């Protein structure tokens, strides 16, 4: 092993720190693996990525532990990483070993292991303050704190509350005459475009809290990477929603463009709450957030608030919005609300002749998912009245999923109705057959009355899928009596797939002919 | 049969089919995916794109996925013509649950994870992992953890898959290209295979996640 002097290592470390390049990291990494480096140098270096250092004495243990992690053997992985740390304290794997040992310990599920994991991450943060993966380590530490807090650890609970609280720092005092921060262009544009965003939203968009806006802005809206605080807030919501909701509200009240991702995730957290003011929070965001995604999510999550107020708001959004994506979410959310107002709103939309067929069909689908017999009957009635093939097709599909006694015969009646479009009749027959709601004789009757070849083909296929021996009888009948050569050939093909001895005989007869 | 056994059975079935010899132009497909990604990145000035976009960008796309998942089954297409005239389907009975919204989000998320991992694996095999992959993995990791803590995570099947996904994503988030990157990639790949992550993700179709029961298959 070639010793490397203090100066060389310090230089390499400095270069790595200043350049921060992958190449620099690699050099530093391999140099450190070769020599026993004074701890002080390591601690102040920008910790290089340290994995698969073949000449590192800890290499074997590290590989073993990573294998065990992959295999879900967390206790063994933690054990071997601990061994690595104790036997090779100068190993180049140290930063990674600390992280993965903490990860493995946290997966073992005991509070003592959690506490040990926190100590390891604390050590890592102190020894490798500039490590490029320090965010991940901080996130993990917060997750572990949350686990401990949820197990009743008061210290961890306090830490979680403090971390979550960082998402909503107190607003700085107003300074008379101080210039207001410029609104983010994207936010202002979005605010101007949306009919639902009124003056309040425009004001909000231009009045992002200066302290938070300073976090940074970027076009993707994710410059505020507050994952650790989000984890803390999530844990706090599950432990003490009264304490957490005000923080969540402040997060959702932010209008700086850098917090868009944060607000989207916060919306997901709000949706899990059952507090009385959740509805207000969601409605507020649906109406005023400058980000269309956040607005859309607010609408989507109103599905979790089963109230006349939410239904009325969703109905209004569905009727007035010109954004089809928002409307789709409103349809979904309405369908999740089990009250008369929501049902009426959905039905009214389905029957709006000037509404896009795609959206009306979605409304049919989600209405049908509720499994209410009255709704299904409504759809069957609508089938008679509507001229929209898209709606008819969706109704057939929706009814077919219900599997009620009356649905099979209804589908069969559609299949046999010459007034209906051929494509709809075929689908109805197909679903009826799939539901095993139609027997071979009924299929044969449809075949006899069918005037178009496509329908007859569908019947032949349906017969082929019917396990009843009577279906083979009908297929044989078609082979013997059908003048259309193609249809006869199709019936023959399916007979050829059958194990019924009568089918084999028919095939032989045909060959002999 | 317990839910876990059902999942195992589904995974076993998928595993059996996984490498079935078929004439699939995988190389061409991946080349196309990579080409499109690169083109998209250029158009977006290097910003993250597609599956890497800021998350929770789902919506009723998930519902569309669900509908497609319900409708599309595996058809047995005969070799000698006589193609069944009907759509290939697996009819299902939908049972609405109070967690429908969360399950939809989970379906959408796992779909995104599957796409991400498929592209990541393809890139890793070529030794050219996109520099944005660790960041995208971190975003997916955050959402995976939030989902695991949400009502969606109360479903043991879903929780199990989310746990597997979490470890793989955590490893990718830690990944940095460099002199040791190949070994890192090997271990990430091993984790994906050892835990059967891709197979489990394939098994977690929207209809599986939505708790639907197949009534019959062609």
């Amino acid at each position: 092993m070639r010793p490397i002097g203090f100066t060389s290592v310090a230089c390499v470390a400095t270069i790595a720190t200043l350049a921060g390049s992958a190449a620099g990291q690699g050099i530093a990494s391999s140099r450190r693996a070769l020599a026993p480096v004074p701890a002080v140098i390591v601690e102040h270096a920008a910790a290089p990525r340290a994995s698969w250092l073949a000449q590192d004495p800890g290499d074997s243990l590290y590989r073993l532990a990573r294998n065990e992690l992959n295999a879900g053997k967390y206790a063994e992985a933690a054990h071997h990483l601990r061994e690595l740390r104790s036997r090779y304290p100068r190993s180049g794997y140290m930063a990674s070993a600390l992280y993965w040992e903490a990860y493995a310990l946290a997966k073992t599920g005991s509070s003592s292991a959690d506490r040990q994991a926190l100590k390891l991450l604390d050590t890592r943060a102190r020894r490798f303050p500039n490590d490029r993966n320090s965010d991940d380590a901080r996130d993990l530490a917060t997750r572990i704190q949350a686990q401990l807090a949820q197990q009743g650890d008061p210290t961890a609970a306090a830490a979680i509350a403090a971390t979550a609280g960082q998402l909503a720092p107190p607003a700085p005092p107003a300074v008379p005459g101080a210039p207001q921060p410029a609104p983010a262009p994207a936010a202002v544009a979005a605010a101007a475009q949306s009919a639902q965003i009124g003056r309040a939203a425009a004001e909000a968009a231009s009045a992002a809290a200066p302290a938070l806006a300073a976090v940074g802005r970027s076009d993707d809206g994710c410059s505020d990477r507050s994952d650790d605080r989000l984890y803390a807030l999530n844990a706090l919501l599950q432990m003490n929603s009264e304490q957490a909701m005000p923080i969540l509200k402040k997060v959702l009240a932010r209008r700086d463009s850098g917090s868009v991702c944060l607000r989207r995730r916060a919306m997901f957290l709000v949706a899990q709450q059952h507090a009385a003011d959740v509805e207000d929070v969601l409605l507020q965001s649906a109406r005023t957030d400058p980000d269309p995604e956040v607005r859309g999510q607010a609408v989507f999550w109103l599905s979790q608030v089963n109230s006349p107020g939410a239904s009325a708001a969703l109905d209004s959004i569905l009727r007035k919005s010109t954004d089809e994506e928002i409307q789709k979410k409103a349809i979904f959310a309405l369908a999740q609300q089990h009250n008369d107002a929501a049902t009426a709103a959905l039905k009214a939309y389905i029957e709006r002749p000037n509404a896009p067929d795609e959206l009306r069909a979605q409304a049919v689908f989600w209405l049908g998912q509720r499994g209410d017999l009255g709704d299904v009957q409504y759809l069957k009635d609508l089938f008679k009245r509507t001229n929209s093939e898209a709606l008819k097709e969706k109704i057939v599909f929706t009814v077919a999923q219900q599997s009620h006694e009356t649905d099979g015969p209804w589908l069969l009646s559609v299949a046999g109705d010459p007034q209906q479009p051929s494509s709809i009749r075929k689908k109805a027959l197909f679903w009826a057959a799939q539901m095993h709601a139609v027997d071979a004789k009924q299929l044969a009757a449809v075949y006899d009355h069918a005037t178009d070849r496509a329908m007859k083909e569908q019947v032949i296929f349906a017969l082929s899928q019917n396990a009843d021996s009577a279906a083979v009888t009908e297929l044989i009948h078609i082979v013997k009596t059908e003048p259309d050569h193609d249809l006869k050939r199709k019936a023959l093909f399916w007979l050829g797939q059958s194990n019924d001895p009568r089918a084999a005989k028919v095939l032989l007869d045909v060959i002999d002919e | 049969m317990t839910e876990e056994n059902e999942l195992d059975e589904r995974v076993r079935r998928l595993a059996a089919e996984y490498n079935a010899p078929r004439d699939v132009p995988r190389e061409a497909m991946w080349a196309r995916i990579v080409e499109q990604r690169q083109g998209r990145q250029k158009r977006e000035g290097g910003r993250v794109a597609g599956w890497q976009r800021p998350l929770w960008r789902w919506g009723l796309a998930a519902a569309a996925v669900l509908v497609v998942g319900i409708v599309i089954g595996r058809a047995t297409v005969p070799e000698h013509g006589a193609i069944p005239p009907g759509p290939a389907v697996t009819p299902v009975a939908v049972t609405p649950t109070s967690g429908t919204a969360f399950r939809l989000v989970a379906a959408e998320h796992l779909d995104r994870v599957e796409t991400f991992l498929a592209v990541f694996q393809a890139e890793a095999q070529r030794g050219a992992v996109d520099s944005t992959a660790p960041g995208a993995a971190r975003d997916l990791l955050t959402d995976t953890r939030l989902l695991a803590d949400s009502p969606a995570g109360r479903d043991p099947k879903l929780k199990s898959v989310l746990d597997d996904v979490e470890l793989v994503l955590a490893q990718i988030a830690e990944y940095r290209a460099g002199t040791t990157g190949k070994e890192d990639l090997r271990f990430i790949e091993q984790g994906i295979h050892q835990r059967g992550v891709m197979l489990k993700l394939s098994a977690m179709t929207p209809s599986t996640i939505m708790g639907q029961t197949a009534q019959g298959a062609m």
Side-chain angles (χ1 to χ4, degrees):
Chain A
M1 187 177 285
R2 186 169 64 88
I4 295 180
F6 178 91
T7 310
S8 314
V9 174
C11 283
V12 170
T14 305
I15 290 166
T17 308
L18 293 176
S21 67
Q25 301 283 353
I27 293 166
S29 186
S30 56
R31 289 286 192 276
R32 291 199 315 130
L34 291 173
V37 181
V40 64
I41 298 298
V42 176
E43 287 172 8
H44 291 285
R49 177 72 182 171
S51 57
W52 323 124
L53 309 175
Q55 296 178 55
D56 189 294
D59 187 68
S60 297
L61 277 172
Y62 188 70
R63 284 168 182 263
L64 177 61
R66 287 290 295 268
N67 260 318
E68 288 164 341
L69 269 176
N70 275 340
K73 297 175 180 173
Y74 295 117
E76 291 91 332
H79 170 78
H80 287 122
L81 288 165
R82 185 165 60 248
E83 190 179 343
L84 185 158
R85 285 192 297 110
S86 62
R87 286 174 61 184
Y88 310 110
R90 297 285 178 267
S91 167
Y93 288 112
M94 192 53 66
S96 292
L98 285 162
Y99 176 82
W100 288 115
E101 186 181 343
Y103 185 100
L105 284 169
K107 289 287 181 187
T108 59
S110 82
S111 52
S112 61
D114 282 346
R115 291 191 184 93
Q116 176 61 19
L118 279 181
K119 283 180 189 167
L120 294 173
L121 291 171
D122 184 53
T123 301
R124 188 183 189 280
R126 281 187 284 105
R127 286 191 62 181
F128 305 97
N130 300 316
D131 185 84
R132 283 190 294 188
N133 295 321
S134 57
D135 282 355
D136 298 337
R138 194 174 58 234
D139 291 351
L140 180 59
T142 306
R143 294 275 298 167
I144 296 169
Q145 287 276 23
Q147 281 181 196
L148 281 169
Q150 285 167 345
Q151 289 163 14
D153 183 320
T155 309
I160 284 296
T163 306
Q166 290 169 19
L167 283 169
V175 180
Q180 291 295 311
V188 171
Q193 284 170 5
S194 170
Q196 293 173 1
I197 297 176
R199 185 165 158 247
E203 286 173 357
S206 63
L212 297 178
V215 170
R217 291 178 175 182
S218 78
D219 288 337
D220 69 1
C222 300
S223 59
D224 183 357
R225 297 208 58 84
S226 304
D227 291 355
D228 62 324
R229 285 169 276 170
L230 204 63
Y231 290 141
L233 182 57
N234 187 27
L236 191 60
L237 278 164
Q238 291 173 29
M239 293 185 300
N240 184 349
S241 64
E242 282 184 14
Q243 191 181 355
M245 275 303 282
I247 299 171
L248 207 44
K249 285 181 187 174
K250 285 184 180 176
V251 170
L252 288 169
R254 286 173 63 169
R255 293 295 179 259
D256 55 307
S257 58
S259 68
V260 169
C261 280
L262 191 59
R263 299 205 302 274
R264 290 175 187 163
R265 286 180 169 131
M267 193 60 69
F268 178 70
L269 300 185
V270 167
Q272 297 174 46
Q273 301 308 304
H274 301 289
D277 48 357
V278 166
E279 181 178 339
D280 290 341
V281 172
L282 291 172
L283 285 173
Q284 178 74 3
S285 288
R287 288 182 179 127
T288 67
D289 198 289
D291 179 62
E293 281 288 323
V294 177
R295 291 201 303 275
Q297 287 188 33
V299 172
F300 181 84
W301 289 118
L302 276 167
S303 62
Q304 303 301 298
V305 183
N306 189 11
S307 77
S311 297
L314 288 166
D315 180 28
S316 169
I317 290 166
L318 180 57
R319 283 186 289 106
K320 294 177 183 170
S321 175
T322 53
D323 181 336
E324 287 198 8
E325 289 307 310
I326 293 276
Q327 287 178 298
K328 286 177 187 173
K329 292 178 173 72
I331 288 168
F332 169 79
L334 272 171
Q336 304 304 305
Q337 310 243 329
H338 291 273
N339 58 58
D340 291 344
T343 305
L346 270 180
K347 290 179 178 175
Y349 189 79
I350 288 170
E351 302 213 27
R352 266 179 71 174
N354 55 347
D357 269 1
E358 187 195 350
L359 294 183
R360 295 168 72 198
Q362 284 233 356
V364 165
F365 174 79
W366 285 114
L367 186 67
Q369 298 314 299
R370 309 197 315 179
D372 183 284
L373 283 174
D375 291 339
V376 176
Q377 186 55 51
Y378 162 78
L379 292 176
K380 289 176 181 173
D381 294 340
L382 176 65
F383 185 91
K384 294 177 196 162
R385 288 186 277 122
T386 184
N387 291 320
S388 163
E389 279 200 34
L391 278 195
K392 283 177 184 276
E393 182 179 338
K394 193 64 77 177
I395 291 170
V396 164
F397 175 75
T398 302
V399 170
Q401 289 181 60
Q402 307 301 318
S403 304
H404 297 138
E405 274 181 12
T406 56
D407 296 331
W410 183 82
L411 288 169
L412 198 60
S413 72
V414 171
D417 183 354
Q419 304 299 315
Q420 299 302 332
S422 171
S423 64
I424 300 297
R425 293 172 61 202
K426 278 172 61 183
K427 288 191 170 73
L429 180 65
F430 175 82
W431 285 113
Q434 290 293 317
M435 290 171 70
H436 306 295
V438 50
D439 62 30
K441 281 207 179 306
Q442 288 170 311
L443 286 171
V446 174
Y447 190 92
D448 291 342
H449 288 99
T451 53
D452 61 305
R453 177 191 281 174
M455 193 65 191
K456 291 192 173 200
E457 283 182 20
Q458 188 69 49
V459 175
I460 290 171
F461 176 67
L463 284 168
S464 76
Q465 303 301 300
N466 193 316
D468 191 345
S469 66
V472 173
T473 307
E474 296 302 336
L475 280 173
I476 291 172
H477 180 73
I478 290 169
V479 166
K480 289 184 174 172
T481 61
E482 176 58 57
D484 185 305
H485 182 71
D486 283 343
L487 290 173
K488 188 171 178 171
R489 190 171 64 84
K490 284 188 168 58
L492 268 173
F493 172 83
W494 287 114
L495 274 180
Q497 309 298 309
S498 168
N499 293 325
D500 192 308
R502 292 175 297 159
K505 184 173 183 312
V506 169
L507 288 171
L508 281 173
D509 291 347
V510 170
I511 291 168
D512 288 343
E513 282 174 11
Chain B
M1 190 181 277
T2 66
E3 287 183 333
E4 284 194 11
N5 285 341
E6 283 174 13
L7 180 61
D8 288 345
E9 176 57 32
R10 191 181 285 265
V11 168
R12 270 195 294 277
R13 196 156 14 94
L14 281 166
E17 296 170 357
Y18 191 58
N19 285 321
R22 285 183 187 168
D23 187 18
V24 178
R26 290 193 173 84
E27 292 302 321
M29 287 164 67
W30 286 124
R32 183 77 185 272
I33 288 171
V34 170
E35 185 186 332
Q36 286 184 345
R37 283 190 56 198
Q38 286 170 346
R40 202 162 50 217
Q41 283 184 340
K42 278 180 191 166
R43 285 196 302 279
E44 299 184 6
R47 284 174 53 202
V48 289
W51 42 268
Q52 295 174 296
R53 278 180 301 196
L55 299 181
W56 305 107
R57 198 180 171 79
W58 37 263
L60 268 284
V65 170
L66 168 66
V67 177
V68 171
I70 291 169
V71 174
I72 296 178
R74 178 158 295 185
T76 305
V77 181
E79 291 180 2
H80 308 292
I83 296 170
V89 288
T90 301
V92 292
V94 177
T95 308
T97 66
S98 59
T100 301
F102 288 97
R103 286 165 177 269
L104 275 176
V105 172
E108 176 79 4
H109 175 70
L110 292 181
D111 184 52
R112 196 194 328 273
V113 170
E114 187 179 5
T115 306
F116 169 77
L117 291 181
V119 174
F120 180 85
Q121 282 184 301
E123 290 180 342
Q125 279 175 3
R126 292 190 299 111
V129 172
D130 193 293
S131 61
T132 60
R138 190 168 296 114
D139 270 343
L140 289 168
L141 177 62
T142 300
D143 291 341
T144 300
R145 286 169 168 167
L146 292 178
L147 260 177
D149 292 342
S150 80
R154 288 174 202 151
D155 176 341
K157 282 186 294 186
L158 200 49
K159 181 69 164 58
S160 166
V161 175
L162 289 170
D163 282 348
D164 290 329
V165 162
E166 186 202 356
L167 177 66
V168 170
L169 292 174
Q171 293 187 79
I172 298 174
E174 292 282 296
Y175 168 77
R176 293 291 181 276
T179 53
T180 59
K182 276 190 179 176
E183 286 296 321
D184 256 341
L185 290 179
R186 196 177 63 75
F187 257 73
I188 292 168
E189 183 71 13
Q190 183 205 49
I192 293 172
H193 279 289
Q194 201 163 342
R195 295 191 161 224
V197 172
M198 298 307 284
L199 290 170
K200 287 178 183 173
L201 287 172
S202 300
M204 296 301 283
T205 60
S207 55
T208 310
I209 294 174
M210 297 300 289
Q212 295 156 354
T213 309
Q215 292 182 331
M218 289 171 61

